[in-house]
Amino acid sequence: MQKITLESLVEKAVSLLENGTVTSVLGWKKGEFDYDITPAVFESADELKKDFVWNDFCGANFSKYLVSKTCKSEGKILVFLKPCDTYSFNQLLTEHRFDREKVYAVGIPCEGMADINKVKEVVGDGISKIESNGDDLVVTTIYEDAPVKVTCKDVLAERCVNCKSKRHVAYDELLGEEGEVIASERFDEVERLEKMTPEERFAFWQNELSKCIRCNACRDVCPACTCEKCVFDNPNSGVENKAASNSFEEKMFHIIRAFHVAGRCTDCGECSRVCPQNIPLHLLNRKFIKDINEFYGEYQAGAEVGLRAPLVDYTLEDLEPGEVFDRRDNNA
Amino acid sequence: MRKCLVEDINSVLAQINKAAKVYLPVDGTDGKARFEEWAEGKEWSNALNTERSAKDFFFPQTENLMEFKTEGKNIEIIDIRSDKDDFVIFGVRGCDVRSFDILDRVFLVEPIDSFYKARREHGIIISVACGRPSETCFCGAFGIDASNPAGDVTVWRTKEAVYWQSNTDKGEELLKKVEGLTDCDEAAVEEEKAKIKKIMDKLPLANLSTEDFGAGKTMELFDSDKWKDLSESCLGCGTCTFVCPTCQCYDIKEFNAGKGVVRFRCWDSCMYSDFTQMSAGQPRLSQLERFRQRFMHKLVYYPERNDGIYGCVGCGRCLAKCPISMNIVKVMKSLGGKDNE
Ligand code: SF4
Ligand code: SF4
Ligand code: SF4
Ligand code: SF4
């Protein structure tokens, strides 16, 4: 389904390594199956040719890795960025979280990434091979003699169904064609939640958040969560908890996190992608984004480097706190 | 061997539930299976395995251990354990059943963990053979037979019928109380077992080898230069440890409950930076060291101390759940020398 080919990415990486522009490459590494791809650092043409992969399961957003990678390495690192990743990239730069001088960013177009869970809902378990063929994924399982065809569009990851932009907002070099910002329907689900009664909404989140195992994957993958030591990991903070002891603590972690990334979350969707309990965490963050848009005017975190987020910026047009209070009557 | 028709499974479970509370895998609103208490109207999930492992029943994620109350200079220690009734875990897969043996070797040796022991004694395990394993399953590498799992009772589910076989006195006692199970011969089950064995041989990880791991391999594997690449992008999130049926580390803390102090424990993860805080701090400073610990524990240290038994059961949860798709199979293939090429 991807329009840009694996070969062209490997070729680009090899030439940048060989001409000395970069000394390492942050890319996707082949797994056991065709969908279990691991972010990896490649240092030679041989490694790239052997293990680099680019397919419909390369969802991982590399921006956050730049924080640790540019800290440690002397040379430049090549990073491939999908359009949504470039927003995280800019946001991290805005917060001075990595050294731009040590990065060579190559923007690559993206047609949307598949969600293996959705593929499995269609074909079941026992997948031995997944190949891309035009608009389809051709899935071979150990249970069926003939491979099963799945339309890519039907198994897109949630964040890709609601992709907000095919346009890259940062790169040193762009491969393939540039896209446009999209009028996505990403707030529809938030509106559905807003229309619920407070009791219904409470029950919805209670059901979702009670599944949380506090593995912290959502936080650890989040490009907006780059504190060296999270308050929830600090035994001296008084709020450290490795497991929620009751349903209040369950919610506290998520609500505090949502507040902490408010105005900085680019809606990259990594939190929901990695949650092992399939909790739709993006809905919490999207609610904040939607409110910020409504209260302070349209704002997209990471759209440009150096943007001042509405929550840390004061203008005379800012709405009065009382107006927020008044909105309670229509549940929002 | 006993049997019932597939459509009668609910009435059989209802009867078991009269003898002891039944928990079974049920599909949630996200379509994924989790163990829930049986009740009229709850359907036994078709999913291969539950999102969380069955270890929760014996080693829950959080657990209050005791309370302290102070009056003047006296401290009263209050045992807050309530007596437990027998309970049945129905529909446990072979991998998770084996995980109980692995936990037993930790919690039931001196000093015995009495909290764990009490639950273990009250639990009755009904396992189920795996008709449709996933590509991520590799229980076979650890000698687990998915076609004939252990447990107090083993169940096979075919299109038409559910077959029941008791393996222990506890299991037999339970099945005796259930009306509506009829005696039958082994033929259908033997056929099902053969079918499952054939599938197991076709699994992509069927030939995964443990040859290069186990007791005595510490020095050889500990300093391998492969750990750097393997752990390179690990987030240190601990998802792998929390979904794992055999991960067994916990932390003990106290909290102020207003009128007194409660001591509780909760799962901990060797992947965390604040794991095992000693007076000098966490002994494993880098994520490489923490990552190495998890896999060395499962593949080398545990077998070293436990008669060669590995600390992994091949359930595949860490394969399915790791945000960066790094897992024990990739570790075994990378470190496992020729046999795993
Ligand atoms: S990733 Fe999911 S299960 Fe893990 S802490 Fe976040 S919400 Fe909870
Ligand atoms: S690992 Fe083995 S026992 Fe466990 S679910 Fe898969 S086939 Fe069944
Ligand atoms: S290490 Fe992974 S495969 Fe092995 S028992 Fe734990 S979760 Fe299952
Ligand atoms: S191996 Fe994967 S699941 Fe485990 S801590 Fe690292 S990133 Fe998280």
Side-chain angles (χ1 to χ4, degrees):
Chain A
M1 175 171 64
Q2 301 303 328
K3 288 202 179 121
I4 190 120
T5 62
L6 166 66
E7 290 70 29
S8 62
L9 298 192
V10 173
E11 200 183 303
K12 174 57 55 189
V14 170
S15 79
L16 288 167
L17 265 182
E18 283 174 354
N19 71 20
T21 309
V22 299
T23 53
S24 58
V25 179
L26 195 46
W28 299 271
K29 186 174 177 175
K30 206 190 277 165
E32 279 308 304
F33 316 110
D34 291 307
Y35 61 82
D36 59 334
I37 285 152
T38 301
V41 175
F42 299 81
E43 277 162 350
S44 71
D46 284 349
E47 281 173 17
L48 283 162
K49 283 174 189 154
K50 189 165 153 268
D51 287 330
F52 188 94
V53 64
W54 169 247
N55 65 18
D56 296 324
F57 295 94
C58 293
N61 172 355
F62 294 149
S63 320
K64 185 176 184 175
Y65 284 111
L66 296 174
V67 177
S68 59
K69 297 297 174 223
T70 58
C71 198
K72 277 187 258 161
S73 83
E74 286 301 317
K76 262 197 182 190
I77 188 163
L78 163 61
V79 63
F80 288 108
L81 300 174
K82 307 187 291 296
C84 54
D85 305 340
T86 59
Y87 288 80
S88 314
F89 184 88
N90 272 353
Q91 185 60 32
L92 285 162
L93 275 178
T94 302
E95 295 170 15
H96 308 288
R97 297 300 290 126
F98 70 87
D99 187 349
R100 181 69 178 89
E101 295 300 308
K102 287 190 187 163
V103 180
Y104 189 84
V106 174
I108 48 174
C110 169
E111 307 304 314
M113 289 294 156
D115 176 347
I116 186 62
N117 287 315
K118 288 193 183 172
V119 174
K120 288 194 166 190
E121 274 167 29
V122 183
V123 301
D125 268 325
I127 293 174
S128 54
K129 192 178 199 166
I130 305 181
E131 283 172 314
S132 196
N133 185 359
D135 292 335
D136 295 327
L137 290 177
V138 182
V139 188
T140 313
T141 75
I142 60 165
Y143 294 106
E144 310 291 334
D145 293 332
V148 185
K149 262 196 201 158
V150 185
T151 312
C152 289
K153 263 211 327 268
D154 297 341
V155 293
L156 275 186
E158 191 284 337
R159 61 171 174 184
C160 302
V161 172
N162 290 309
C163 178
K164 61 183 180 293
S165 171
K166 299 282 188 205
R167 191 168 76 86
H168 300 76
V169 291
Y171 54 79
D172 292 304
E173 181 180 346
L174 182 72
L175 292 182
E177 270 173 48
E178 184 61 303
E180 291 301 325
V181 173
I182 305 172
S184 84
E185 287 158 7
R186 63 184 170 132
F187 295 120
D188 288 6
E189 191 73 353
V190 178
E191 274 165 23
R192 194 178 66 79
L193 290 179
E194 286 173 348
K195 285 194 187 110
M196 289 179 172
T197 64
E199 291 74 27
E200 284 167 345
R201 198 159 51 230
F202 186 83
F204 172 85
W205 283 112
Q206 180 94 318
N207 174 43
E208 291 298 345
L209 297 179
S210 65
K211 294 186 293 193
C212 174
I213 55 174
R214 273 308 296 281
C215 63
N216 294 321
C218 49
R219 176 198 71 185
D220 292 340
V221 82
C222 172
C225 272
T226 57
C227 295
E228 293 269 309
K229 189 146 192 107
C230 175
V231 66
F232 287 105
D233 282 349
N234 180 356
N236 300 326
S237 69
V239 296
E240 183 224 26
N241 50 359
K242 285 172 177 161
S245 57
N246 56 34
S247 68
F248 171 73
E249 281 188 359
E250 242 158 48
K251 295 181 201 79
M252 184 177 75
F253 169 69
H254 292 287
I255 291 171
I256 289 181
R257 215 180 78 76
F259 268 102
H260 196 189
V261 302
R264 308 191 297 118
C265 163
T266 64
D267 202 5
C268 77
E270 285 287 85
C271 48
S272 294
R273 177 179 72 87
V274 302
C275 176
Q277 296 290 325
N278 321 304
I279 301 173
L281 296 158
H282 61 277
L283 292 177
L284 264 184
N285 302 323
R286 271 193 201 154
K287 166 68 178 159
F288 279 79
I289 296 174
K290 183 168 176 288
D291 277 357
I292 290 174
N293 284 346
E294 287 168 7
F295 293 164
Y296 306 104
E298 293 279 322
Y299 177 79
Q300 172 59 52
E304 282 168 45
V305 179
L307 282 185
R308 275 186 76 77
L311 294 183
V312 293
D313 204 20
Y314 174 74
T315 71
L316 283 174
E317 286 78 48
D318 280 0
L319 95 170
E320 296 298 327
E323 290 174 48
V324 183
F325 185 70
D326 290 341
R327 289 189 355 152
R328 79 195 186 285
D329 294 332
N330 44 23
N331 280 344
Chain B
M1 188 74 59
R2 298 164 166 96
K3 81 183 238 191
C4 70
L5 293 174
V6 166
E7 57 260 38
D8 294 335
I9 184 76
N10 274 323
S11 69
V12 171
L13 289 174
Q15 285 185 58
I16 299 180
N17 193 58
K18 272 186 212 144
K21 193 179 272 177
V22 173
Y23 296 85
L24 80 171
V26 174
D27 289 338
T29 45
D30 58 357
K32 305 282 180 184
R34 291 177 182 77
F35 280 102
E36 285 182 23
E37 213 178 301
W38 181 86
E40 205 59 66
K42 293 224 169 159
E43 294 280 335
W44 179 19
S45 165
N46 273 316
L48 174 68
N49 218 341
T50 47
E51 295 286 281
R52 293 175 67 137
S53 83
K55 87 174 167 191
D56 294 31
F57 288 103
F58 303 122
F59 176 39
Q61 184 161 16
T62 57
E63 169 178 27
N64 288 348
L65 301 176
M66 59 185 80
E67 278 176 26
F68 304 92
K69 280 210 170 82
T70 44
E71 259 191 59
K73 283 189 173 163
N74 296 327
I75 299 183
E76 190 190 351
I77 301 175
I78 306 163
D79 189 342
I80 47 178
R81 268 175 285 195
S82 48
D83 273 332
K84 291 265 174 189
D85 296 322
D86 283 354
F87 61 94
V88 173
I89 327 175
F90 174 82
V92 187
R93 296 294 178 181
C95 48
D96 280 7
V97 177
R98 167 69 69 83
S99 78
F100 305 146
D101 296 342
I102 292 172
L103 297 175
D104 284 354
R105 284 168 171 267
V106 175
F107 291 109
L108 297 185
V109 293
E110 286 298 338
I112 289 172
D113 187 306
S114 56
F115 296 86
Y116 177 89
K117 183 165 176 260
R119 280 189 290 265
R120 199 71 174 89
E121 280 165 358
H122 286 296
I124 305 169
I125 295 154
I126 304 187
S127 69
V128 57
C130 303
R132 206 184 152 99
S134 163
E135 71 276 9
T136 51
C137 295
F138 56 106
C139 51
F142 303 106
I144 297 164
D145 184 355
S147 75
N148 191 16
D152 296 303
V153 174
T154 305
V155 159
W156 290 263
R157 169 154 70 168
T158 67
K159 269 205 189 79
E160 305 80 31
V162 179
Y163 297 86
W164 307 69
Q165 171 190 289
S166 62
N167 308 319
T168 62
D169 294 344
K170 237 180 180 178
E172 182 58 28
E173 279 305 305
L174 184 72
L175 290 193
K176 266 195 204 142
K177 293 182 195 151
V178 183
E179 288 162 32
L181 291 179
T182 51
D183 285 338
C184 67
D185 65 13
E186 321 265 315
V189 164
E190 287 308 320
E191 198 181 302
E192 180 68 10
K193 281 189 198 165
K195 203 180 95 197
I196 295 173
K197 286 212 172 87
K198 264 204 199 131
I199 299 172
M200 297 308 290
D201 289 341
K202 282 206 279 184
L203 289 178
L205 300 177
N207 297 319
L208 190 71
S209 163
T210 56
E211 198 57 35
D212 285 296
F213 304 92
K217 295 283 182 180
T218 305
M219 297 325 264
E220 192 182 314
L221 297 175
F222 193 83
D223 285 324
S224 165
D225 52 12
K226 304 255 176 69
W227 292 113
K228 182 176 169 287
D229 277 358
L230 287 166
S231 65
E232 179 98 58
S233 51
C234 171
L235 301 169
C237 65
T239 301
C240 49
T241 54
F242 283 5
V243 297
C244 178
T246 69
C247 272
Q248 58 217 220
C249 290
Y250 58 82
D251 194 6
I252 295 183
K253 298 200 164 196
E254 278 104 30
F255 68 88
N256 189 339
K259 288 186 201 124
V261 171
V262 178
R263 176 171 295 173
F264 74 105
R265 71 166 155 199
C266 64
W267 294 350
D268 204 344
S269 170
C270 55
M271 290 292 194
Y272 288 165
S273 61
D274 59 345
F275 179 71
T276 322
Q277 289 278 2
M278 303 185 200
S279 51
Q282 145 80 294
R284 300 183 195 102
L285 295 177
S286 65
Q287 197 56 34
L288 182 153
E289 291 163 280
R290 295 173 205 139
F291 180 95
R292 177 174 59 196
Q293 165 61 24
R294 173 159 197 270
F295 299 102
M296 286 292 278
H297 186 200
K298 301 248 184 275
L299 297 169
V300 182
Y301 311 150
Y302 189 95
E304 181 101 46
R305 277 180 251 131
N306 292 283
D307 311 316
I309 294 172
Y310 290 94
C312 168
V313 295
C315 73
R317 286 188 181 86
C318 62
L319 278 69
K321 295 299 186 186
C322 169
I324 59 150
S325 296
M326 180 44 70
N327 53 60
I328 195 158
V329 167
K330 288 186 179 174
V331 168
M332 288 169 80
K333 291 218 166 175
S334 170
L335 290 171
K338 272 198 269 357
D339 292 310
N340 276 329
E341 262 162 28

